[in-house]
């Protein structure tokens, strides 16, 4: 279409004001009929005849319309195309839609919610996080509307669904590993944000979760009401145009509506704009001529209501909601019918037993049911076991049905025991993956079935079971001979114990579910005790040792509080508690001693004996029997060959050594405690070595299969040792040993470190630019170490024993007060030793009574400490008995003398190395003679074994009396 200039021509055939009025009148008529494009293109050259033709209204009407529809004239030179005019017309139409602030805000929230739900479907956590933040900001803007209208249901529904979705993703550990880094980080961040955000709306979320269907119905009603309001608002601006529309019969409304829909054929043919004008022009004359009829007779509701056309799909969300509603109603109807059947229906009973509902027909009608037929049917069911496509749940139901049939027909206990064996095996096979744990309902069935099997075995002493019984020699029929059944009850119980451990490993330890699962341990122990009682009479020695070990593994890590109270002479507060304590069986110490000694004497496998010894040591150490635990560890010589054991036994050994070290600390054996904990703590992998988790930094070193294997070796949470307590015990032990040693060897160049980890913590504390009050456990120990170094035992005591440290560490011990008293005593003694090492050069003599008052120690204790220091030549002094003073001998070198001695030693080492290199370069006596201490040479040929186990050639010239025996010759 050609371009045209704006209305800038003067001296036309009509004045500008009259042309403006006529133009507005034309604009009013032609906008309704779709001729706005045509009129705007020709508005500058509109003839007077056309203006008179269209000027049907009065001047007042035209002026009113011109005030609302006045178009600002463009300057000369501005060009317009058809596309720009069409866009401007669309903009005018959109401005006419009037929407409330509530609709705008709620639509913005709805758009964000749709985006979040789409991102949830594809697990795009980064997008979820971004949209959730925008949603929170948009909701903040809508705060005034929400306060007025109330909390929108769809918003609460999203918060509840999003939190459940994130918790489900968080528990899916396999899925988390497959996420990329950004998604994993976004998942963690979003989970924290949603949990914090939902605290403000807990009541609304709880009410939604209690009745989600009612909330969904209310939300749907709100949507329908808002849609109807939008429709009503959309109809209001059209009322003024109803006079220009032609009334159609109801039968013709559908075909006329199709005229205004753009089909695929129209898209191909509407390339030319003149054809569009002709299409619109056909309806213009009709609507203008019959506008009066429409205004009088037509109902606006009939004309403008939305009607779905043929083939047009309804909105997907509404269809889904209707389907879910119908499904919920069907489920409710089914429940009601089921209740009616249960209340007023009949159940078919035969022989006093409720018949099991059987999907397939077990036996043909009229078949005589005997032992052979049941065994044949049992083998048929078992043949499908393990095959692809086998329904394991259906197989368990069939076996239960077969057991019921055997009971009804009184086929004897032998066939029933065999079926029970296979039912338990099928329950174990329900999860084909070894790493997967049993579902709660299957676990309960398994425990019930094992209990029933043990009941049958205890009630019928004529049943013999064993793995050595061949299937051909089984006796399952009722006869004078005892029943013989192939199977091993011990293997089933051991597998049950392993399944219990897997359930505990795969349950969140901080949830109520973990506590509920842990309650089943009492039932597991009861089954093990019953099996132990059965095998003591009918089992072999090897089987008895195995079941004894299972009982030990459920006992060794538990502290016996009742035995501890009895040892302290305490009794129960009430009469019932005292009677219960008296009626209870043997203490755990007596039980452990009896079971372990049987294994020591009868076991033929090293593994069971090793595990029993370690558990026995652990139990002794846990109950503060230090000397028994230490002697048993030294006599067993386990530390010599434990590296050849399998990983679970090594984990048990590490746990035992840690418990032994903590026991030594409680008894005041600081050096023994440090030595026991040194290997575990110096590695920096205490968590992994104790089987209490995997370190993230070592994830690159293992593949997925190795990681699964190591996770199966982990110890359940209720058996964990507190790692913070362990580290605190180690650091305090290192402080009590290291600080006096550092004070005694302050200027010694060859000073060794007792604990590298303790020195590392000291260096970290020294590097801090700003020293504030200590917060963590490590900071408390470092601050206490600095105070002890200065001989200030009171400050050291306040850092080690305070409310924060008590709650974190010391209150976790069974006898916490006794441990605190021991610590205070040790701090006083080691601070005294440190004080004497540090300030001995300042004193000529010092009174022991003064030292006793400074460190609040008894005079004999001070005398004992100083005497030991003098005997061990740690302190160059003597005791003046009459005056009770310590007289210093001043033999310790000053700092300058110490530096001179260090320099002399280093120069001597340098000269020694220089001579050795010079002798090698000469080559005269090289690799043949060695220089002896007297300055001569002696012949030393051949190889000697060094301390590291390798061989080195002792040839060449070496200075006599060279210190390092492990260095090879140059």
């Amino acid at each position: 279409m050609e371009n045209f200039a704006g209305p800038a021509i003067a001296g036309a055939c009509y004045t500008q004001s009259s042309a403006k009025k006529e133009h507005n009148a034309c604009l009013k008529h032609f906008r309704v009929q779709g001729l706005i494009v045509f009129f705007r293109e020709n508005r500058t050259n509109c003839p007077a005849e056309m203006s008179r033709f269209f000027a049907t209204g009065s001047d007042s009407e035209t002026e009113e319309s011109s005030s609302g529809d006045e178009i600002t004239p463009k300057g000369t030179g501005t060009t317009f195309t058809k596309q720009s005019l069409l866009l401007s017309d669309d903009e005018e139409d959109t401005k006419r839609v009037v929407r409330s602030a509530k609709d705008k805000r709620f639509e913005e929230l709805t758009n964000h919610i749709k985006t979040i739900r789409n991102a949830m479907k594809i697990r795009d956590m980064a997008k979820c996080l971004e949209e959730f933040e925008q949603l929170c900001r948009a909701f903040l803007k809508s705060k005034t509307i929400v306060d007025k209208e109330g909390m929108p249901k769809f918003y609460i529904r999203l918060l509840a669904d999003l939190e459940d979705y994130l918790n489900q993703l968080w528990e899916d550990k396999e899925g988390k590993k497959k996420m990329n880094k950004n998604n994993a980080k976004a998942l963690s961040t979003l989970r924290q944000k949603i949990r914090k955000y939902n605290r403000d709306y807990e009541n609304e979320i709880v009410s939604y979760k209690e009745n989600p269907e009612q909330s969904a119905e209310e939300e749907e009603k709100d949507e329908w009401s808002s849609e109807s309001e939008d429709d009503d608002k959309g109809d209001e601006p059209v009322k003024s145009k109803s006079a220009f529309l032609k009334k159609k019969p109801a039968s013709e409304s559908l075909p006329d509506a199709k005229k205004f829909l753009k089909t695929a054929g129209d898209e191909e043919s509407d390339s030319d704009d003149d054809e569009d004008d002709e299409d619109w022009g056909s309806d213009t004359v009709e609507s203008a001529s019959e506008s009066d009829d429409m205004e009088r007779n037509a109902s606006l509701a009939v004309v403008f209501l939305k009607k779905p056309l043929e083939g047009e799909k309804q909105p997907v969300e509404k269809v889904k909601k209707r389907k879910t509603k119908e499904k919920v109603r069907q489920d409710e109807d089914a429940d009601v019918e089921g209740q009616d059947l249960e209340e007023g229906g009949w159940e078919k009973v035969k022989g006093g037993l409720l018949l099991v509902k059987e999907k397939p027909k077990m036996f043909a009608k009229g078949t005589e049911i005997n032992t052979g037929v049941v065994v044949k049917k049992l083998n048929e069911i078992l043949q499908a076991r393990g095959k692809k496509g086998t329904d394991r749940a259906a197989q368990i139901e069939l076996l239960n049905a077969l057991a019921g049939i055997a009971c009804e027909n009184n086929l004897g206990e032998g066939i029933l025991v065999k079926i029970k064996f296979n039912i338990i095996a099928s329950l174990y096979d329900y999860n084909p993956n070894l790493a997967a744990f049993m579902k709660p309902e299957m676990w309960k069935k398994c425990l019930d079935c094992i209990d029933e099997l043990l009941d049958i075995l205890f009630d019928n002493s004529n049943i013999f079971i064993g793995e050595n019984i061949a299937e051909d020699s089984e006796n399952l029929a009722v006869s004078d001979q005892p029943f013989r059944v192939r199977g091993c009850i011990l293997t089933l119980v051991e597998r049950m114990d392993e399944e219990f451990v897997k359930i505990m490993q795969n349950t969140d330890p901080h949830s109520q579910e973990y506590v509920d699962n842990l309650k089943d341990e009492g039932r597991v122990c009861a089954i093990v005790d019953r099996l132990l009682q059965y095998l003591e009479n009918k089992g072999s020695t090897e089987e008895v040792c195995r079941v004894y070990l299972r009982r030990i593994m459920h006992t060794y890590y538990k502290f016996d509080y009742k035995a501890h109270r009895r040892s302290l002479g305490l009794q129960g507060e009430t009469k019932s508690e005292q009677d219960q304590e008296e009626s209870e069986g043997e203490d755990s110490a007596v039980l452990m001693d009896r079971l372990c000694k049987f294994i020591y004497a009868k076991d033929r496998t090293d593994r069971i004996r090793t595990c029993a010894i370690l558990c026995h040591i652990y139990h002794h150490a846990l109950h503060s029997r230090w000397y028994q635990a230490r002697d048993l560890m030294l006599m067993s010589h386990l530390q010599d060959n434990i590296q050849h054991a399998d990983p679970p036994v090594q984990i048990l050994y590490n746990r035992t050594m840690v418990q032994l070290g903590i026991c030594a600390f409680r008894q005041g054996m600081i050096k023994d405690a440090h030595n026991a904990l040194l290997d575990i703590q110096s590695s920096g992998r205490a968590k992994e070595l104790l089987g209490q988790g995997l370190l993230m930094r070592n994830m690159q070193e293992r593949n997925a299969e190795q990681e699964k294997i190591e996770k199966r070796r982990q110890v359940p949470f209720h058996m964990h040792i507190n790692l913070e307590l362990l580290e605190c015990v180690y650091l305090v032990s290192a402080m009590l040993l290291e600080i006096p040693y550092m004070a005694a060897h302050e200027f010694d160049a060859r000073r060794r470190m007792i604990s590298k980890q303790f020195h590392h913590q000291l260096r970290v504390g020294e590097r801090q630019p700003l020293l504030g009050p200590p917060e963590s456990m490590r900071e408390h120990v470092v601050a206490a170490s600095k105070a002890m170094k200065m001989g200030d035992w009171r400050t050291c005591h306040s850092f080690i024993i305070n409310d924060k440290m008590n709650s974190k560490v010391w209150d976790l011990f069974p006898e916490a007060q006794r441990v605190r008293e021991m610590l205070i005593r040790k701090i006083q003694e080691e601070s005294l030793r440190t004080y004497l090492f540090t300030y001995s050069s300042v004193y000529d003599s010092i009174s022991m009574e003064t030292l006793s008052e400074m460190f609040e120690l008894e005079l004999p204790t001070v005398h004992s400490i100083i005497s030991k220091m003098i005997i061990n030549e740690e302190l160059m002094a003597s005791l003046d008995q009459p005056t009770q003073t310590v007289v210093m001998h001043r033999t310790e070198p000053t700092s300058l003398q110490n530096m001179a001695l260090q320099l002399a030693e280093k120069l001597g080492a340098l000269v020694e190395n220089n001579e050795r290199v010079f002798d090698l370069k000469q080559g005269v006596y090289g690799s043949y003679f060695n220089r002896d201490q007297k300055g001569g040479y002696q012949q030393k040929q051949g190889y000697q074994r060094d301390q590291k186990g390798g061989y080195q050639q002792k040839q060449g010239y070496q200075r006599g009396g060279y210190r390092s025996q492990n260095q090879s010759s140059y």
Side-chain angles (χ1 to χ4, degrees):
M1 191 175 71
E2 297 178 359
N3 296 338
F4 61 92
I9 303 172
C13 60
Y14 54 95
T15 62
Q16 189 172 359
S17 60
S18 61
K20 183 176 180 181
K21 294 178 181 178
E22 294 164 359
H23 154 69
N24 288 331
C26 294
L27 183 65
K28 181 177 179 182
H29 289 288
F30 280 92
R31 181 185 287 113
V32 180
Q33 304 304 327
L35 293 174
I36 183 66
V37 177
F38 172 79
F39 177 71
R40 279 187 175 175
E41 292 173 357
N42 299 281
R43 61 186 173 185
T44 54
N45 301 321
C46 181
E49 292 80 11
M50 183 176 286
S51 63
R52 284 194 300 274
F53 175 76
F54 284 109
T56 55
S58 62
D59 292 340
S60 60
E61 290 179 355
T62 56
E63 286 176 1
E64 288 175 4
S65 65
S66 65
S67 63
D69 298 326
E70 184 176 355
I71 300 174
T72 306
K74 301 285 181 179
T76 310
T78 306
T79 58
F80 296 88
T81 60
K82 178 181 177 182
Q83 187 67 22
S84 62
L85 290 170
L86 283 170
L87 287 174
S88 65
D89 185 53
D90 293 340
E91 290 172 1
E92 287 184 3
D93 290 342
T94 54
K95 287 177 185 176
R96 286 182 171 273
V97 178
V98 180
R99 302 179 63 202
S100 64
K102 173 188 173 183
D103 295 338
K104 290 179 183 177
R105 294 299 182 192
F106 280 17
E107 183 182 4
E108 184 180 2
L109 295 177
T110 309
N111 291 336
H112 287 305
I113 289 172
K114 286 179 181 176
T115 311
I116 290 174
R117 291 196 181 276
N118 290 336
M120 287 164 61
K121 291 177 184 175
I122 59 174
R123 292 195 175 192
D124 189 355
M125 291 296 103
K127 186 67 175 175
C128 275
L129 177 60
E130 179 186 351
E131 288 295 327
F132 179 73
E133 291 173 350
Q134 294 181 9
L135 178 66
C136 293
R137 288 194 288 270
F139 185 76
L140 198 59
K141 292 178 184 177
S142 311
K143 192 67 176 173
T144 55
I145 298 171
V146 170
D147 295 340
K148 186 187 300 182
E149 301 289 339
M151 179 65 68
K153 300 290 183 182
F154 61 85
Y155 192 73
I156 296 298
R157 181 182 178 188
L158 174 83
L159 294 180
D161 293 349
L162 184 58
E163 186 176 12
D164 295 341
Y165 174 75
L166 293 176
N167 290 335
Q168 184 181 358
L169 280 185
W170 190 262
E171 292 172 0
D172 185 10
K173 297 182 180 178
E174 297 296 331
K176 278 167 60 180
K177 290 176 187 174
K178 296 177 182 177
M179 286 186 180
N180 56 30
K181 188 176 180 181
N182 293 335
N183 272 351
K185 187 177 179 181
L187 173 62
S188 177
T189 307
L190 182 56
R191 182 170 174 266
Q192 293 176 0
K193 285 191 174 186
I194 193 71
R195 289 172 67 182
K196 184 177 179 182
Y197 189 79
N198 282 5
R199 288 173 192 164
D200 300 333
Y201 308 104
E202 282 184 0
N203 297 331
E204 291 87 347
I205 292 174
V206 168
S207 63
Y208 164 74
K209 287 185 177 179
E210 286 176 356
N211 198 351
E213 296 175 5
Q214 183 179 357
S215 301
E217 289 177 2
E218 292 177 1
E219 182 182 343
E220 188 175 357
K221 287 178 182 177
D222 294 341
E223 289 180 2
W224 279 102
S225 62
S226 62
E227 285 181 7
S228 62
E229 289 174 5
D230 292 342
D231 295 341
D232 295 341
K233 291 175 182 177
D235 292 340
E236 288 172 7
V238 188
K239 286 181 181 179
S240 60
K241 302 177 185 178
S242 61
F244 301 100
L245 295 177
K246 181 180 178 181
K247 182 179 178 182
K248 297 286 182 182
S251 60
E252 298 179 8
S253 60
L254 189 61
D256 289 342
K258 288 184 178 179
K259 288 183 180 181
F260 301 98
L261 291 176
K262 196 171 186 179
T263 59
D266 296 335
E267 290 179 0
E268 296 174 1
S269 61
D270 66 354
S271 60
D272 197 358
D273 296 321
D274 294 336
E275 294 178 9
D276 292 340
D277 295 340
E278 292 173 3
D279 293 338
W280 284 95
S282 62
D283 293 332
T284 307
V285 181
E286 295 178 4
S287 61
S289 60
E290 298 185 7
S291 59
D292 296 335
D293 297 335
M294 281 292 294
E295 191 171 10
R296 287 192 303 268
N297 302 323
S299 174
L300 289 175
V302 176
V303 174
F304 293 105
L305 276 180
K306 297 179 181 177
K307 294 182 180 179
L309 303 178
E310 293 180 0
E312 182 180 351
K313 293 183 180 179
Q314 294 181 353
V316 179
E317 292 181 0
K318 294 180 182 177
V319 174
K320 284 184 179 178
K321 286 179 182 177
R322 290 173 188 169
K323 285 184 179 179
T324 52
K325 276 189 177 181
E326 291 173 1
K327 189 175 181 181
V328 168
R329 287 169 187 160
Q330 290 174 2
D331 294 340
E332 290 175 356
D333 295 341
D335 293 339
V336 171
E337 291 175 6
Q339 290 175 1
D340 294 337
L341 286 173
E342 288 177 1
E343 293 172 1
W346 294 88
E347 294 177 351
K348 191 174 181 181
V349 175
K350 183 179 180 182
L353 293 173
L354 182 65
L355 283 177
V356 181
K357 294 181 181 179
E358 301 167 358
K359 293 181 182 178
K361 190 71 176 174
M362 294 292 290
F363 300 104
K365 189 175 181 180
T367 304
E368 182 184 357
I369 298 176
N370 52 29
T371 305
V373 174
V374 173
V375 170
K376 185 178 178 182
K377 191 67 178 178
L378 176 63
N379 291 329
E380 288 179 7
I381 296 172
L382 294 179
Q383 281 177 359
R385 179 180 170 188
K387 290 185 178 180
K388 189 175 181 181
T390 303
D391 188 356
R392 297 181 181 87
Q395 197 175 29
I396 295 170
E397 290 179 7
L398 288 174
L399 290 172
N400 283 318
L402 195 62
I405 292 172
C407 287
E408 291 170 16
N409 292 274
N410 298 321
L411 297 181
E413 306 298 336
I415 186 66
L416 189 60
V417 168
K418 186 173 181 63
I419 295 174
K420 289 288 183 185
F421 269 119
N422 288 288
I423 290 174
I424 298 171
S426 299
L427 287 170
Y428 290 145
D429 291 345
Y430 188 78
N431 290 325
N433 189 3
L434 283 175
F437 60 98
M438 292 181 74
K439 294 181 179 179
E441 58 272 12
M442 292 295 172
W443 169 247
K444 300 296 182 187
K445 288 181 182 178
C446 180
L447 293 179
D448 294 338
C449 203
I450 292 177
D451 270 330
E452 292 172 4
L453 181 58
L454 286 172
D455 289 338
I456 296 171
L457 293 177
F458 275 107
D459 294 340
N460 300 275
S461 59
N462 60 340
I463 300 177
F464 292 96
I465 58 174
E467 292 178 313
N468 53 353
I469 298 175
E471 291 186 0
D472 299 337
S473 61
E474 283 183 326
N475 182 21
L476 304 176
V478 178
S479 62
D480 297 335
Q481 299 294 326
F483 294 108
R484 293 172 58 84
V485 183
R486 176 178 173 81
C488 182
I489 183 66
L490 177 58
T491 306
L492 297 180
V493 173
E494 285 179 337
R495 178 69 187 275
M496 174 205 68
D497 196 22
E498 293 170 2
E499 290 294 335
F500 175 72
V501 172
K502 281 199 287 189
I503 289 172
M504 303 309 296
Q505 286 174 343
N506 290 276
T507 308
D508 182 11
H510 305 292
S511 65
Q512 182 62 32
E513 184 185 1
Y514 191 91
V515 179
D516 297 337
N517 291 337
L518 189 57
K519 292 177 182 177
D520 290 336
E521 189 181 16
R523 194 171 176 187
V524 171
C525 291
I527 290 174
V528 173
D529 286 336
R530 293 185 68 191
L531 179 64
L532 185 150
Q533 184 181 353
Y534 176 77
L535 291 178
E536 281 177 348
N537 298 324
K538 293 192 175 184
S540 62
T541 306
E542 182 184 353
E543 290 177 336
V544 172
C545 289
R546 286 165 60 187
V547 74
Y548 275 10
L549 181 62
R550 288 289 166 182
R551 188 67 184 89
I552 288 169
M553 296 299 285
H554 281 282
T555 308
Y556 81 96
Y557 63 90
K558 297 175 183 174
F559 187 81
D560 194 346
Y561 284 97
K562 294 177 180 176
H564 178 64
R565 286 170 59 84
R566 285 196 291 270
S567 66
L568 296 177
L570 302 175
Q571 293 183 352
E573 297 179 357
T574 62
K575 180 72 175 173
S576 60
E577 290 181 358
Q578 295 177 10
D579 295 339
Q580 184 181 358
E581 289 178 1
E582 292 176 0
S583 62
E584 283 181 355
E586 54 190 353
D587 291 341
S588 61
V590 179
L591 175 65
M592 288 287 294
D593 195 58
R594 178 172 62 84
L595 299 180
C596 291
K597 284 183 177 179
F598 181 87
I599 292 177
Y600 300 157
K602 303 291 184 182
D603 180 58
R604 299 176 184 175
T605 62
D606 290 335
R607 189 182 187 280
I608 293 179
R609 188 188 304 114
T610 301
C611 291
I613 291 172
L614 291 173
C615 293
H616 205 182
I617 296 169
Y618 190 104
H619 195 264
H620 279 314
L622 187 63
H623 292 82
S624 300
R625 296 188 288 269
W626 156 249
Y627 292 103
Q628 292 95 315
R630 183 198 64 180
D631 295 344
L632 188 56
M633 174 63 79
L634 294 176
M635 285 189 299
S636 64
H637 296 285
L638 288 176
Q639 60 271 24
D640 298 335
N641 53 9
I642 194 64
Q643 65 270 16
H644 302 300
D646 54 339
V649 177
Q650 291 184 13
I651 289 174
L652 181 59
Y653 174 81
N654 293 337
R655 286 167 53 81
T656 304
M657 288 301 298
V658 164
Q659 198 60 246
L660 200 61
I662 295 174
C663 175
F665 181 81
R666 289 199 301 268
Q667 300 301 315
M669 311 288 183
I670 302 300
K671 194 167 185 179
D672 292 324
H674 181 269
N675 292 337
L677 301 177
L678 180 62
D679 291 336
I680 300 294
Q681 286 297 121
S682 61
S683 65
R685 298 187 301 125
K687 184 178 182 180
E688 193 170 356
L689 293 175
L690 295 176
Q692 297 181 187
L694 301 178
L695 296 178
M696 297 300 295
R697 64 187 178 191
N698 294 334
M699 286 297 184
Q700 296 83 10
E701 301 176 4
R702 62 174 76 92
N703 54 31
E705 191 63 30
Q706 290 174 339
E707 186 177 346
K708 288 180 182 177
I709 294 172
E710 291 192 15
K711 281 185 177 179
R712 286 202 292 269
R713 295 174 185 152
Q714 301 301 301
V715 177
F717 182 78
H718 64 279
M719 299 170 64
H720 281 192
I721 297 171
N722 192 317
L723 294 178
E724 189 173 16
L725 180 144
L726 171 62
E727 187 178 8
C728 181
V729 167
Y730 175 75
L731 289 177
V732 171
S733 302
M735 177 190 75
L736 295 174
L737 295 175
E738 192 78 61
I739 296 299
Y741 180 81
M742 289 169 64
H745 301 83
E746 187 175 1
F747 302 106
D748 191 354
R750 290 173 292 173
R751 182 182 69 192
R752 60 182 178 84
M753 287 189 296
I754 297 177
S755 171
K756 289 184 179 180
Q757 187 180 5
F758 177 73
H759 276 274
H760 173 69
Q761 296 300 332
L762 288 181
R763 285 194 296 270
V764 170
E766 291 172 357
R767 283 199 298 265
Q768 289 182 353
L770 180 63
L771 286 178
E775 295 180 0
S776 66
M777 177 271 300
R778 296 175 181 175
E779 292 176 357
H780 277 86
V781 175
V782 170
S785 302
K786 292 178 180 178
M788 181 183 280
K789 201 171 182 181
M790 304 300 294
D792 187 0
W793 76 271
R794 290 183 179 84
T795 307
C796 178
H797 162 248
S798 65
F799 281 129
I800 292 295
I801 298 175
N802 50 54
D803 293 338
K804 187 179 287 187
M805 291 291 286
N806 286 341
S807 61
K808 283 186 175 181
V809 180
W810 309 126
D811 287 342
L812 302 178
F813 288 116
E815 299 176 354
Q817 187 58 36
R818 193 169 67 84
V819 173
R820 281 192 283 265
E821 291 173 359
M822 180 273 299
L823 265 177
I824 295 171
R825 182 84 173 181
K826 288 293 179 182
I827 288 172
Q828 290 171 334
E829 293 177 358
E830 297 304 324
S831 297
L832 171 60
R833 296 181 70 236
T834 306
Y835 184 83
L836 290 175
F837 284 136
T838 306
Y839 299 108
S840 60
S841 59
V842 178
Y843 290 98
D844 287 329
S845 63
I846 185 170
S847 171
M848 285 192 291
E849 188 176 353
T850 305
L851 292 174
S852 175
E853 292 175 358
M854 286 175 61
F855 295 95
E856 297 182 7
L857 290 169
E858 299 84 359
L859 195 60
T861 306
V862 176
H863 185 277
S864 172
I865 292 171
I866 295 174
S867 300
K868 286 180 183 177
M869 293 173 68
I870 294 173
I871 292 170
N872 294 333
E873 296 183 357
E874 294 175 339
L875 183 66
M876 298 302 172
S878 59
L879 283 174
D880 188 5
Q881 197 69 29
T883 59
Q884 292 290 314
T885 57
V886 183
V887 180
M888 305 296 175
H889 291 171
R890 290 193 172 279
T891 57
E892 291 86 0
T894 62
S895 59
L896 181 61
Q897 291 171 339
N898 272 315
M899 292 176 67
L901 288 173
Q902 292 178 22
L903 178 62
E905 285 187 2
K906 290 181 180 178
L907 287 174
L910 180 63
V911 170
E912 190 174 314
N913 291 335
N914 193 24
E915 287 183 359
R916 192 176 295 122
V917 172
F918 180 75
D919 289 344
L920 286 173
K921 284 186 177 180
Q922 291 294 321
V924 180
Y925 303 102
S927 71
Y928 191 74
F929 287 107
N930 285 333
R931 185 181 294 178
D932 60 3
Q933 293 182 358
K934 299 177 181 179
Y937 292 91
Q938 58 183 358
Q939 188 174 4
K940 278 192 177 182
Q941 271 187 328
Y943 291 85
Q944 294 179 358
R945 184 155 192 162
D946 62 2
Q947 292 181 357
K948 296 181 180 178
Y951 287 88
Q952 58 182 3
Q953 191 174 8
K954 296 285 185 179
Q955 290 181 344
Y957 293 98
Q958 290 184 345
R959 182 89 175 194
Y962 187 61
R963 295 187 187 88
S964 179
Q965 298 178 2
N966 295 330
Q967 289 185 351
S968 58
S969 60
Y970 285 80

